[in-house]
Amino acid sequence: MVVVALAAIMAALAAPSFKSFVSGQRVKTAASDFAMTAILARSEAIKRNADVTITSVTAGASGWKDGWTVAVGGTALSQQQAYAGVTFAGPATAITYNGSGRLSAAVDTMTITGTDGSARCVAFDLSGMPKSSKSSSGTCP
């Protein structure tokens, strides 16, 4: 009985940290998935020598949480499902890579935030490569 009581106390103490851990992992996964999608779109644009577009399922900057689609012309190459417990703040319009693998227009940094306040940033350099990084302040530059 003593062992069961100690295990219950330990589990009760660990539960809040575990929630924070799970939320942080959701944010990390969402940021990684978005960055990998951008790498896929860039690669396909170079391979096909055509414009490849990443479009949020729902219009607007917060629509990215509902998922996104990578398409060339009218053909969908990849589709990401919605995320639960994560909010996105980023470009209000689609992201387009041209045939040289560069962005056709400057893209705002994507900020992905979890329910516990943890955040990650996905920024794009001049060549169009995305970079995911942890945000210490909860906001991205």
Short mmCIF file of all heavy atoms in Angstrom, two decimals, residues 109 111-114 116-121 133-141:
data_model
loop_
_atom_site.label_atom_id
_atom_site.label_comp_id
_atom_site.label_asym_id
_atom_site.label_seq_id
_atom_site.Cartn_x
_atom_site.Cartn_y
_atom_site.Cartn_z
N THR A 109 7.90 35.94 -40.87
CA THR A 109 8.26 34.81 -40.01
C THR A 109 7.00 34.17 -39.45
O THR A 109 6.07 34.85 -39.04
CB THR A 109 9.15 35.30 -38.85
OG1 THR A 109 10.34 35.86 -39.41
CG2 THR A 109 9.51 34.18 -37.91
N THR A 111 5.18 32.27 -36.54
CA THR A 111 5.28 32.04 -35.10
C THR A 111 4.28 30.96 -34.72
O THR A 111 3.09 31.08 -34.99
CB THR A 111 4.97 33.33 -34.31
OG1 THR A 111 5.83 34.37 -34.75
CG2 THR A 111 5.16 33.11 -32.82
N ILE A 112 4.77 29.91 -34.08
CA ILE A 112 3.92 28.80 -33.66
C ILE A 112 3.98 28.75 -32.14
O ILE A 112 5.05 28.66 -31.56
CB ILE A 112 4.41 27.48 -34.28
CG1 ILE A 112 4.41 27.63 -35.80
CG2 ILE A 112 3.54 26.32 -33.85
CD1 ILE A 112 5.42 26.82 -36.51
N THR A 113 2.79 28.85 -31.50
CA THR A 113 2.71 28.96 -30.05
C THR A 113 1.84 27.85 -29.48
O THR A 113 0.78 27.54 -30.04
CB THR A 113 2.10 30.32 -29.65
OG1 THR A 113 2.79 31.35 -30.34
CG2 THR A 113 2.21 30.55 -28.16
N GLY A 114 2.27 27.30 -28.36
CA GLY A 114 1.51 26.25 -27.68
C GLY A 114 0.64 26.81 -26.58
O GLY A 114 0.72 28.00 -26.24
N ASP A 116 0.91 26.37 -23.48
CA ASP A 116 1.70 26.75 -22.30
C ASP A 116 2.55 27.99 -22.54
O ASP A 116 3.30 28.41 -21.68
CB ASP A 116 2.60 25.59 -21.87
CG ASP A 116 3.70 25.30 -22.87
OD1 ASP A 116 3.56 25.68 -24.05
OD2 ASP A 116 4.70 24.67 -22.49
N GLY A 117 2.43 28.59 -23.72
CA GLY A 117 3.20 29.80 -24.05
C GLY A 117 4.51 29.54 -24.74
O GLY A 117 5.20 30.48 -25.16
N SER A 118 4.91 28.27 -24.90
CA SER A 118 6.14 27.98 -25.61
C SER A 118 5.96 28.33 -27.08
O SER A 118 4.86 28.18 -27.63
CB SER A 118 6.53 26.51 -25.45
OG SER A 118 5.53 25.68 -26.00
N ALA A 119 7.01 28.83 -27.71
CA ALA A 119 6.90 29.26 -29.10
C ALA A 119 8.14 28.89 -29.88
O ALA A 119 9.24 28.80 -29.34
CB ALA A 119 6.66 30.76 -29.17
N ARG A 120 7.93 28.69 -31.17
CA ARG A 120 9.03 28.47 -32.12
C ARG A 120 8.79 29.36 -33.33
O ARG A 120 7.65 29.70 -33.64
CB ARG A 120 9.13 27.01 -32.53
CG ARG A 120 9.61 26.14 -31.38
CD ARG A 120 9.96 24.75 -31.80
NE ARG A 120 11.20 24.62 -32.53
CZ ARG A 120 12.40 24.48 -31.98
NH1 ARG A 120 12.54 24.52 -30.69
NH2 ARG A 120 13.46 24.32 -32.73
N CYS A 121 9.86 29.73 -33.98
CA CYS A 121 9.81 30.61 -35.14
C CYS A 121 10.32 29.86 -36.36
O CYS A 121 11.31 29.13 -36.26
CB CYS A 121 10.69 31.84 -34.92
SG CYS A 121 10.39 32.68 -33.36
N SER A 133 13.58 27.87 -35.12
CA SER A 133 14.34 28.17 -33.91
C SER A 133 13.39 28.39 -32.74
O SER A 133 12.25 28.78 -32.92
CB SER A 133 15.23 29.40 -34.12
OG SER A 133 14.42 30.53 -34.42
N LYS A 134 13.90 28.17 -31.55
CA LYS A 134 13.12 28.34 -30.33
C LYS A 134 13.06 29.83 -29.99
O LYS A 134 14.06 30.52 -30.10
CB LYS A 134 13.75 27.55 -29.19
CG LYS A 134 12.92 27.55 -27.94
CD LYS A 134 13.53 26.64 -26.90
CE LYS A 134 12.67 26.62 -25.66
NZ LYS A 134 13.22 25.72 -24.66
N SER A 135 11.90 30.28 -29.57
CA SER A 135 11.72 31.66 -29.16
C SER A 135 11.74 31.73 -27.64
O SER A 135 10.95 31.07 -26.97
CB SER A 135 10.39 32.21 -29.67
OG SER A 135 10.13 33.47 -29.10
N SER A 136 12.65 32.51 -27.10
CA SER A 136 12.75 32.61 -25.64
C SER A 136 11.70 33.55 -25.05
O SER A 136 11.29 33.39 -23.92
CB SER A 136 14.15 33.07 -25.24
OG SER A 136 14.41 34.32 -25.84
N SER A 137 11.23 34.51 -25.83
CA SER A 137 10.29 35.50 -25.31
C SER A 137 8.83 35.19 -25.68
O SER A 137 7.94 35.91 -25.27
CB SER A 137 10.66 36.88 -25.84
OG SER A 137 10.53 36.89 -27.26
N GLY A 138 8.61 34.16 -26.47
CA GLY A 138 7.26 33.84 -26.90
C GLY A 138 6.84 34.55 -28.18
O GLY A 138 5.77 34.34 -28.69
N THR A 139 7.70 35.43 -28.69
CA THR A 139 7.45 36.11 -29.95
C THR A 139 8.66 35.96 -30.86
O THR A 139 9.76 35.71 -30.39
CB THR A 139 7.15 37.62 -29.73
OG1 THR A 139 8.28 38.21 -29.10
CG2 THR A 139 5.92 37.82 -28.90
N CYS A 140 8.43 36.15 -32.14
CA CYS A 140 9.53 36.03 -33.10
C CYS A 140 9.90 37.40 -33.64
O CYS A 140 9.05 38.28 -33.76
CB CYS A 140 9.10 35.12 -34.24
SG CYS A 140 8.78 33.44 -33.70
N PRO A 141 11.17 37.57 -33.99
CA PRO A 141 11.61 38.86 -34.55
C PRO A 141 11.02 39.12 -35.92
O PRO A 141 10.56 38.28 -36.60
CB PRO A 141 13.13 38.72 -34.64
CG PRO A 141 13.43 37.28 -34.47
CD PRO A 141 12.23 36.62 -33.90
#
